[in-house]
């Protein structure tokens, strides 16, 4: 049975950590008000998260479905100081369809590397060298920064799109959750379901605007799934507009469907000392091959992005909200 951790606010407005299993039976973990504090204590004690949870008094049972319906479920990780939580990601990591891969390779062989776009070159670098043997360093992936803890949304929170955005669309992904120990080592707590929300129209305008297009919120599903992920993951992403489903498509993840291994993507993120500051939290999104934008969908305010996957019990359901325009005045001191 896989340990799953959830953060909620109780009906009496107290923060609580829940522990549960594949069957969906969740109880309060007494003595801790956050996953962050639980994990930090586990690191200090030299215990696994499972052993840490088992050592704590078992509190009352909680119906997570009810808590979700009441909007009381938080993102499964946060930081007491949101500026010390970093949301990042990697792109061009998933293989997509076999037909698409074959076409890419055929084009590379027929026309030579000079005819390929930079994105295609990077994708093929991952296909060739994204899963290195033990002890070897693999190809670097595309990497981007999304923001700090202030951009992280919970499983039912609105995804706030700035007024200047040209688009707002979903990206169904797996996200790794990490805490940096006092020894400067990254500790992976587990994985969460994510919507790596992006502005695809801006990105399409010029691929050098990728950095701008990614400065948007990201939402995490209710559960932090402790341990490794299966090699093959199946999910479904959809957009609901009122009572209508305007788009729906399955997606695949897990290393069987990726050009990079998780270990290679982790290496190329945490090789930077900047990202190994004791006490910091990292949420790293691992990419996808599926997005409604690629199918010509234009989202609008009130659309709800629903994402579910077979390795998580609870789905994401985040409405799109465009923020009011604001004027930023620069003040000289």
């Amino acid at each position: 049975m896989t340990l799953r951790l959830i953060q909620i606010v109780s009906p009496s407005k107290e923060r609580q950590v829940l522990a549960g299993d594949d069957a969906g039976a969740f109880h309060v973990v007494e003595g801790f008000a956050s996953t962050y504090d639980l994990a930090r204590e586990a690191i200090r004690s030299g215990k696994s998260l499972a052993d840490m949870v088992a050592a704590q008094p078992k509190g009352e049972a909680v119906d997570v479905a009810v808590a979700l319906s009441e909007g009381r479920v938080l993102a499964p990780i946060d930081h007491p100081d949101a500026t010390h939580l970093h949301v990042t990601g990697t792109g061009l990591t998933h293989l997509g369809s076999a037909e698409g891969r074959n076409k890419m390779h055929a084009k590379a062989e027929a026309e030579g590397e000079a005819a390929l776009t930079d994105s295609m070159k990077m994708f093929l670098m991952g296909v060739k060298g994204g899963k290195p043997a033990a002890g070897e360093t693999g190809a670097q992936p595309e990497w981007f920064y999304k923001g700090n803890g202030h951009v992280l949304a919970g499983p039912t929170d609105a995804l706030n799109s700035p007024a200047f955005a040209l688009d707002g669309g979903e990206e169904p992904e797996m996200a790794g959750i990490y805490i940096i120990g006092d020894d400067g080592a990254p500790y992976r707590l587990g994985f969460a379901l994510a919507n790596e929300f992006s502005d695809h129209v801006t990105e399409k305008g010029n691929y050098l605007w990728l950095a701008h297009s990614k400065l948007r919120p990201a939402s995490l599903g209710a559960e932090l799934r402790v341990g490794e992920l299966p090699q093959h993951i199946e999910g479904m992403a959809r957009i609901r507009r009122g009572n209508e489903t305007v788009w729906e498509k399955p997606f695949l993840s897990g290393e069987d469907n990726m050009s990079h291994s998780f270990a290679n993507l982790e290496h190329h993120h945490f090789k930077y000392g900047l990202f190994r500051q004791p006490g910091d939290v990292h949420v790293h999104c691992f990419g996808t091959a599926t997005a409604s934008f690629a199918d010509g969908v234009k989202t609008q305010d009130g659309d709800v992005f629903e994402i579910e996957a077979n390795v998580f019990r609870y789905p994401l359901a985040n409405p799109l909200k465009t923020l009011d325009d604001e004027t930023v005045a620069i003040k000289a001191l």
Side-chain angles (χ1 to χ4, degrees), residues 92 105 113 116 118-132 138-142 259-260 264:
L92 301 173
H105 287 293
E113 186 174 333
L116 299 177
D118 288 342
S119 294
M120 190 77 78
K121 290 176 186 177
M122 182 164 285
F123 174 83
L124 292 174
M125 287 170 62
V127 171
K128 182 178 179 180
K131 295 182 177 179
Q140 289 191 125
E142 176 191 70
S259 53
H260 289 263
N264 188 53

mmCIF file of all heavy atoms in Angstrom, residues 92 105 113 116 118-132 138-142 259-260 264:
data_model
loop_
_atom_site.group_PDB
_atom_site.id
_atom_site.type_symbol
_atom_site.label_atom_id
_atom_site.label_comp_id
_atom_site.label_asym_id
_atom_site.label_seq_id
_atom_site.Cartn_x
_atom_site.Cartn_y
_atom_site.Cartn_z
ATOM 1 N N LEU A 92 9.719 19.078 -23.220
ATOM 2 C CA LEU A 92 10.226 18.180 -24.262
ATOM 3 C C LEU A 92 10.747 16.877 -23.665
ATOM 4 O O LEU A 92 11.760 16.339 -24.099
ATOM 5 C CB LEU A 92 11.328 18.873 -25.074
ATOM 6 C CG LEU A 92 10.909 20.168 -25.771
ATOM 7 C CD1 LEU A 92 12.120 20.849 -26.396
ATOM 8 C CD2 LEU A 92 9.840 19.906 -26.813
ATOM 9 N N HIS A 105 12.236 11.383 -36.595
ATOM 10 C CA HIS A 105 13.466 10.698 -36.987
ATOM 11 C C HIS A 105 13.630 10.679 -38.502
ATOM 12 O O HIS A 105 14.739 10.873 -39.012
ATOM 13 C CB HIS A 105 13.467 9.267 -36.433
ATOM 14 C CG HIS A 105 13.697 9.206 -34.963
ATOM 15 N ND1 HIS A 105 14.891 9.553 -34.369
ATOM 16 C CD2 HIS A 105 12.866 8.858 -33.946
ATOM 17 C CE1 HIS A 105 14.809 9.415 -33.060
ATOM 18 N NE2 HIS A 105 13.584 8.998 -32.772
ATOM 19 N N GLU A 113 20.468 17.603 -39.653
ATOM 20 C CA GLU A 113 20.202 18.338 -38.421
ATOM 21 C C GLU A 113 19.955 19.821 -38.662
ATOM 22 O O GLU A 113 19.181 20.465 -37.953
ATOM 23 C CB GLU A 113 21.385 18.166 -37.465
ATOM 24 C CG GLU A 113 21.146 18.774 -36.090
ATOM 25 C CD GLU A 113 22.266 18.461 -35.118
ATOM 26 O OE1 GLU A 113 22.926 17.428 -35.276
ATOM 27 O OE2 GLU A 113 22.458 19.271 -34.202
ATOM 28 N N LEU A 116 16.344 21.143 -38.714
ATOM 29 C CA LEU A 116 15.489 20.983 -37.547
ATOM 30 C C LEU A 116 15.414 22.268 -36.732
ATOM 31 O O LEU A 116 16.377 23.031 -36.661
ATOM 32 C CB LEU A 116 16.021 19.852 -36.655
ATOM 33 C CG LEU A 116 16.088 18.461 -37.278
ATOM 34 C CD1 LEU A 116 16.696 17.490 -36.282
ATOM 35 C CD2 LEU A 116 14.715 17.985 -37.721
ATOM 36 N N ASP A 118 15.233 24.345 -33.118
ATOM 37 C CA ASP A 118 15.955 24.143 -31.868
ATOM 38 C C ASP A 118 15.183 23.218 -30.932
ATOM 39 O O ASP A 118 15.774 22.396 -30.226
ATOM 40 C CB ASP A 118 16.208 25.483 -31.180
ATOM 41 C CG ASP A 118 17.254 26.316 -31.897
ATOM 42 O OD1 ASP A 118 18.012 25.753 -32.701
ATOM 43 O OD2 ASP A 118 17.308 27.537 -31.641
ATOM 44 N N SER A 119 13.849 23.363 -30.914
ATOM 45 C CA SER A 119 13.034 22.499 -30.061
ATOM 46 C C SER A 119 13.154 21.042 -30.489
ATOM 47 O O SER A 119 13.268 20.139 -29.655
ATOM 48 C CB SER A 119 11.572 22.940 -30.100
ATOM 49 O OG SER A 119 11.421 24.214 -29.513
ATOM 50 N N MET A 120 13.126 20.799 -31.811
ATOM 51 C CA MET A 120 13.252 19.434 -32.306
ATOM 52 C C MET A 120 14.622 18.858 -31.974
ATOM 53 O O MET A 120 14.745 17.690 -31.588
ATOM 54 C CB MET A 120 13.029 19.407 -33.819
ATOM 55 C CG MET A 120 12.911 18.013 -34.394
ATOM 56 S SD MET A 120 11.292 17.312 -34.061
ATOM 57 C CE MET A 120 10.317 18.141 -35.306
ATOM 58 N N LYS A 121 15.660 19.671 -32.097
ATOM 59 C CA LYS A 121 17.005 19.202 -31.755
ATOM 60 C C LYS A 121 17.070 18.792 -30.287
ATOM 61 O O LYS A 121 17.654 17.764 -29.940
ATOM 62 C CB LYS A 121 18.028 20.306 -32.033
ATOM 63 C CG LYS A 121 18.258 20.611 -33.498
ATOM 64 C CD LYS A 121 19.214 21.792 -33.641
ATOM 65 C CE LYS A 121 19.350 22.222 -35.093
ATOM 66 N NZ LYS A 121 20.225 23.427 -35.233
ATOM 67 N N MET A 122 16.462 19.624 -29.414
ATOM 68 C CA MET A 122 16.510 19.305 -27.990
ATOM 69 C C MET A 122 15.713 18.047 -27.678
ATOM 70 O O MET A 122 16.118 17.221 -26.858
ATOM 71 C CB MET A 122 15.998 20.490 -27.169
ATOM 72 C CG MET A 122 16.064 20.260 -25.664
ATOM 73 S SD MET A 122 15.902 21.775 -24.697
ATOM 74 C CE MET A 122 17.516 22.504 -24.952
ATOM 75 N N PHE A 123 14.569 17.887 -28.339
ATOM 76 C CA PHE A 123 13.778 16.687 -28.146
ATOM 77 C C PHE A 123 14.592 15.450 -28.524
ATOM 78 O O PHE A 123 14.634 14.463 -27.785
ATOM 79 C CB PHE A 123 12.500 16.745 -28.989
ATOM 80 C CG PHE A 123 11.694 15.477 -28.948
ATOM 81 C CD1 PHE A 123 10.804 15.229 -27.909
ATOM 82 C CD2 PHE A 123 11.832 14.514 -29.933
ATOM 83 C CE1 PHE A 123 10.073 14.051 -27.869
ATOM 84 C CE2 PHE A 123 11.105 13.335 -29.903
ATOM 85 C CZ PHE A 123 10.215 13.105 -28.867
ATOM 86 N N LEU A 124 15.250 15.496 -29.674
ATOM 87 C CA LEU A 124 16.021 14.341 -30.130
ATOM 88 C C LEU A 124 17.238 14.083 -29.246
ATOM 89 O O LEU A 124 17.657 12.929 -29.074
ATOM 90 C CB LEU A 124 16.444 14.540 -31.588
ATOM 91 C CG LEU A 124 15.289 14.519 -32.599
ATOM 92 C CD1 LEU A 124 15.800 14.873 -33.994
ATOM 93 C CD2 LEU A 124 14.597 13.161 -32.613
ATOM 94 N N MET A 125 17.801 15.127 -28.655
ATOM 95 C CA MET A 125 18.874 14.936 -27.686
ATOM 96 C C MET A 125 18.377 14.115 -26.498
ATOM 97 O O MET A 125 19.081 13.237 -25.986
ATOM 98 C CB MET A 125 19.400 16.288 -27.197
ATOM 99 C CG MET A 125 20.245 17.037 -28.208
ATOM 100 S SD MET A 125 20.593 18.753 -27.686
ATOM 101 C CE MET A 125 21.511 18.453 -26.182
ATOM 102 N N GLY A 126 17.145 14.402 -26.078
ATOM 103 C CA GLY A 126 16.567 13.636 -24.974
ATOM 104 C C GLY A 126 16.293 12.197 -25.356
ATOM 105 O O GLY A 126 16.533 11.274 -24.573
ATOM 106 N N VAL A 127 15.767 11.990 -26.569
ATOM 107 C CA VAL A 127 15.507 10.625 -27.031
ATOM 108 C C VAL A 127 16.802 9.821 -27.048
ATOM 109 O O VAL A 127 16.832 8.643 -26.676
ATOM 110 C CB VAL A 127 14.869 10.646 -28.440
ATOM 111 C CG1 VAL A 127 14.792 9.249 -29.020
ATOM 112 C CG2 VAL A 127 13.469 11.265 -28.369
ATOM 113 N N LYS A 128 17.893 10.462 -27.465
ATOM 114 C CA LYS A 128 19.177 9.770 -27.582
ATOM 115 C C LYS A 128 19.872 9.606 -26.235
ATOM 116 O O LYS A 128 20.477 8.555 -25.972
ATOM 117 C CB LYS A 128 20.087 10.536 -28.543
ATOM 118 C CG LYS A 128 21.439 9.887 -28.772
ATOM 119 C CD LYS A 128 22.268 10.688 -29.767
ATOM 120 C CE LYS A 128 23.632 10.037 -29.983
ATOM 121 N NZ LYS A 128 24.459 10.812 -30.958
ATOM 122 N N GLY A 129 19.817 10.648 -25.385
ATOM 123 C CA GLY A 129 20.639 10.611 -24.181
ATOM 124 C C GLY A 129 19.952 10.987 -22.900
ATOM 125 O O GLY A 129 20.618 11.359 -21.923
ATOM 126 N N GLY A 130 18.615 10.880 -22.850
ATOM 127 C CA GLY A 130 17.888 11.294 -21.651
ATOM 128 C C GLY A 130 17.770 10.244 -20.568
ATOM 129 O O GLY A 130 17.295 10.546 -19.471
ATOM 130 N N LYS A 131 18.220 9.028 -20.876
ATOM 131 C CA LYS A 131 18.165 7.948 -19.880
ATOM 132 C C LYS A 131 19.544 7.316 -19.755
ATOM 133 O O LYS A 131 19.782 6.199 -20.238
ATOM 134 C CB LYS A 131 17.102 6.915 -20.272
ATOM 135 C CG LYS A 131 15.680 7.462 -20.249
ATOM 136 C CD LYS A 131 14.655 6.391 -20.594
ATOM 137 C CE LYS A 131 13.230 6.953 -20.492
ATOM 138 N NZ LYS A 131 12.204 5.947 -20.842
ATOM 139 N N PRO A 132 20.473 8.034 -19.130
ATOM 140 C CA PRO A 132 21.849 7.545 -19.052
ATOM 141 C C PRO A 132 21.974 6.330 -18.133
ATOM 142 O O PRO A 132 21.148 6.122 -17.240
ATOM 143 C CB PRO A 132 22.610 8.739 -18.475
ATOM 144 C CG PRO A 132 21.581 9.457 -17.644
ATOM 145 C CD PRO A 132 20.300 9.312 -18.410
ATOM 146 N N GLY A 138 23.339 12.316 -18.368
ATOM 147 C CA GLY A 138 22.540 12.335 -19.581
ATOM 148 C C GLY A 138 22.378 13.722 -20.163
ATOM 149 O O GLY A 138 22.907 14.718 -19.644
ATOM 150 N N ALA A 139 21.618 13.803 -21.238
ATOM 151 C CA ALA A 139 21.383 15.066 -21.934
ATOM 152 C C ALA A 139 20.634 16.043 -21.040
ATOM 153 O O ALA A 139 19.744 15.660 -20.272
ATOM 154 C CB ALA A 139 20.586 14.807 -23.208
ATOM 155 N N GLN A 140 20.973 17.326 -21.150
ATOM 156 C CA GLN A 140 20.256 18.364 -20.422
ATOM 157 C C GLN A 140 18.872 18.570 -21.040
ATOM 158 O O GLN A 140 18.749 18.642 -22.267
ATOM 159 C CB GLN A 140 21.008 19.692 -20.476
ATOM 160 C CG GLN A 140 22.269 19.749 -19.663
ATOM 161 C CD GLN A 140 22.797 21.158 -19.547
ATOM 162 O OE1 GLN A 140 23.006 21.660 -18.453
ATOM 163 N NE2 GLN A 140 23.030 21.808 -20.673
ATOM 164 N N PRO A 141 17.845 18.712 -20.233
ATOM 165 C CA PRO A 141 16.516 18.999 -20.775
ATOM 166 C C PRO A 141 16.284 20.503 -20.906
ATOM 167 O O PRO A 141 17.067 21.315 -20.401
ATOM 168 C CB PRO A 141 15.595 18.422 -19.694
ATOM 169 C CG PRO A 141 16.352 18.710 -18.413
ATOM 170 C CD PRO A 141 17.810 18.516 -18.767
ATOM 171 N N GLU A 142 15.204 20.857 -21.575
ATOM 172 C CA GLU A 142 14.692 22.226 -21.474
ATOM 173 C C GLU A 142 14.289 22.456 -20.021
ATOM 174 O O GLU A 142 13.720 21.560 -19.389
ATOM 175 C CB GLU A 142 13.482 22.373 -22.394
ATOM 176 C CG GLU A 142 12.795 23.712 -22.303
ATOM 177 C CD GLU A 142 11.462 23.715 -23.036
ATOM 178 O OE1 GLU A 142 10.517 23.053 -22.562
ATOM 179 O OE2 GLU A 142 11.376 24.356 -24.081
ATOM 180 N N SER A 259 11.204 10.492 -22.671
ATOM 181 C CA SER A 259 12.533 10.420 -23.274
ATOM 182 C C SER A 259 13.634 10.619 -22.235
ATOM 183 O O SER A 259 14.802 10.320 -22.509
ATOM 184 C CB SER A 259 12.660 11.468 -24.384
ATOM 185 O OG SER A 259 12.302 12.754 -23.908
ATOM 186 N N HIS A 260 13.280 11.131 -21.082
ATOM 187 C CA HIS A 260 14.227 11.323 -19.980
ATOM 188 C C HIS A 260 13.794 10.483 -18.785
ATOM 189 O O HIS A 260 12.588 10.274 -18.552
ATOM 190 C CB HIS A 260 14.262 12.791 -19.535
ATOM 191 C CG HIS A 260 14.913 13.725 -20.497
ATOM 192 N ND1 HIS A 260 16.228 14.137 -20.383
ATOM 193 C CD2 HIS A 260 14.432 14.344 -21.606
ATOM 194 C CE1 HIS A 260 16.513 14.964 -21.372
ATOM 195 N NE2 HIS A 260 15.446 15.118 -22.123
ATOM 196 N N ASN A 264 17.531 11.667 -14.314
ATOM 197 C CA ASN A 264 18.286 12.603 -15.142
ATOM 198 C C ASN A 264 17.741 14.023 -15.006
ATOM 199 O O ASN A 264 18.505 14.989 -14.914
ATOM 200 C CB ASN A 264 18.239 12.169 -16.605
ATOM 201 C CG ASN A 264 19.161 12.986 -17.486
ATOM 202 O OD1 ASN A 264 20.352 13.110 -17.195
ATOM 203 N ND2 ASN A 264 18.630 13.562 -18.552
#
